[in-house]
C-alpha cells in the first residue's frame, strides 16, 4: 500500500512522474464517484482526466494537513460542479439504471442481487443531491466523517445529522420501491 500523501508531496516537489502512481490507484474510485453522481460513462472518464489535470495544476496547494483522498475529492467535487455550471440547462445525466459501475470487489456489492442493486440505485438517484453525495463519499468512496465535513465545509455534528437523514430517506425510498412496508 502506497502512502498517497508522501507520493503527492513528491509530485509537489517536481517528481511529476509520480502522479501516475496516484492516478492508477485512484482512477476507478473517482470514476465510480462520478458515475454514482449520475454522470454518463464518457463524462465520468472525462471528469477523472480533468480532476487529475487540476491535481497537477494545483499541486502547490496540497499542504499535507488532510489526506490525499479528501483533497482529491474536493477537486473532483469542484470539477463536477464546473461541468454542471457549464452545461446548465442541458441534460448531462444518464438514468442511474444504465450505470455500469466498475467493481472494486466490495463484499457488500457482490452480495446484493441484481434486482436489489437496481432498486438501490434507483433509490439513491431519487434522494436529494446533497444526501446522495454524503452517502457516496462515506459508503462508496470510504471517506471518514472528518474528511467529509472538511470537504463539505460543515460541522462534524451537522454532517452526522445530515447522514442520518440521508440514510433514513434512502431507506424510505428503498422500502417503497421494493414493496416492503415498515
Amino acid at each position: 500500500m502506497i502512502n498517497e500523501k508522501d507520493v503527492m508531496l513528491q509530485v509537489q516537489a517536481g517528481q511529476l512522474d509520480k502522479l501516475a502512481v496516484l492516478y492508477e490507484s485512484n482512477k476507478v474510485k473517482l470514476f465510480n464517484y462520478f458515475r454514482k453522481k449520475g454522470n454518463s460513462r464518457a463524462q465520468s472518464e472525462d471528469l477523472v482526466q480533468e480532476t487529475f489535470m487540476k491535481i497537477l495544476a494545483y499541486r502547490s496547494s496540497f499542504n499535507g494537513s488532510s489526506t490525499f483522498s479528501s483533497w482529491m475529492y474536493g477537486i473532483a467535487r469542484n470539477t463536477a460542479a464546473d461541468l454542471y455550471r457549464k452545461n446548465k440547462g442541458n441534460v448531462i445525466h444518464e438514468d442511474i439504471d444504465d450505470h455500469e459501475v466498475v467493481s472494486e470487489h466490495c463484499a457488500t456489492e457482490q452480495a446484493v442481487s441484481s434486482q436489489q442493486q437496481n432498486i438501490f440505485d434507483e433509490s439513491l438517484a431519487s434522494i436529494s443531491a446533497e444526501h446522495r453525495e454524503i452517502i457516496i463519499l462515506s459508503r462508496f468512496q470510504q471517506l471518514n466523517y472528518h474528511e467529509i465535513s472538511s470537504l463539505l465545509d460543515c460541522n462534524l455534528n451537522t454532517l452526522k445529522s445530515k447522514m442520518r437523514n440521508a440514510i433514513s430517506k434512502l431507506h424510505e425510498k428503498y422500502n417503497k420501491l421494493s414493496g416492503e412496508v415498515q
Side-chain angles (χ1 to χ4, degrees):
M1 182 89 188
I2 62 169
N3 182 332
E4 292 181 334
K5 188 184 284 190
D6 289 344
V7 174
M8 185 59 207
L9 290 172
Q10 291 172 354
V11 170
Q12 192 177 44
Q15 296 179 28
L16 302 183
D17 59 316
K18 298 289 185 181
L19 189 61
V21 173
L22 295 172
Y23 177 79
E24 288 301 320
S25 66
N26 289 288
K27 67 182 179 184
V28 172
K29 293 176 195 172
L30 274 178
F31 179 80
N32 286 339
Y33 170 71
F34 292 126
R35 292 288 283 165
K36 291 268 185 211
K37 285 181 67 74
N39 294 293
S40 71
R41 175 177 276 288
Q43 286 169 330
S44 295
E45 289 170 354
D46 290 346
L47 286 166
V48 169
Q49 296 294 324
E50 183 67 27
T51 298
F52 271 92
M53 293 192 49
K54 287 183 179 181
I55 286 171
L56 182 60
Y58 301 125
R59 66 186 178 273
S60 63
S61 71
F62 181 73
N63 60 19
S65 65
S66 64
T67 64
F68 172 76
S69 286
S70 63
W71 184 73
M72 176 186 72
Y73 283 112
I75 292 173
R77 186 171 185 253
N78 291 336
T79 301
D82 291 345
L83 175 71
Y84 302 147
R85 274 192 297 276
K86 186 171 89 174
N87 293 318
K88 193 174 184 174
N90 298 332
V91 176
I92 60 170
H93 288 67
E94 287 183 334
D95 289 335
I96 196 115
D97 296 336
D98 296 335
H99 286 196
E100 297 172 24
V101 177
V102 177
S103 173
E104 289 181 339
H105 305 292
C106 178
T108 307
E109 289 178 20
Q110 291 175 353
V112 176
S113 74
S114 178
Q115 183 180 9
Q116 289 171 322
Q117 186 66 47
N118 288 340
I119 293 170
F120 176 81
D121 289 344
E122 190 174 336
S123 301
L124 186 62
S126 69
I127 63 176
S128 73
E130 179 184 31
H131 285 153
R132 185 171 47 251
E133 182 165 41
I134 292 169
I135 290 172
I136 290 169
L137 290 170
S138 173
R139 302 299 190 240
F140 296 101
Q141 304 315 123
Q142 295 158 354
L143 295 181
N144 65 43
Y145 285 177
H146 290 284
E147 292 171 320
I148 298 169
S149 67
S150 174
L151 178 64
L152 301 179
D153 195 29
C154 72
N155 178 291
L156 183 60
N157 289 329
T158 301
L159 175 69
K160 288 177 181 178
S161 175
K162 287 180 178 183
M163 179 58 92
R164 277 191 302 274
N165 289 336
I167 291 173
S168 175
K169 293 285 185 193
L170 181 63
H171 187 52
E172 181 181 304
K173 295 285 185 176
Y174 183 87
N175 285 339
K176 183 178 178 183
L177 290 171
S178 67
E180 294 179 22
V181 179
Q182 278 298 112

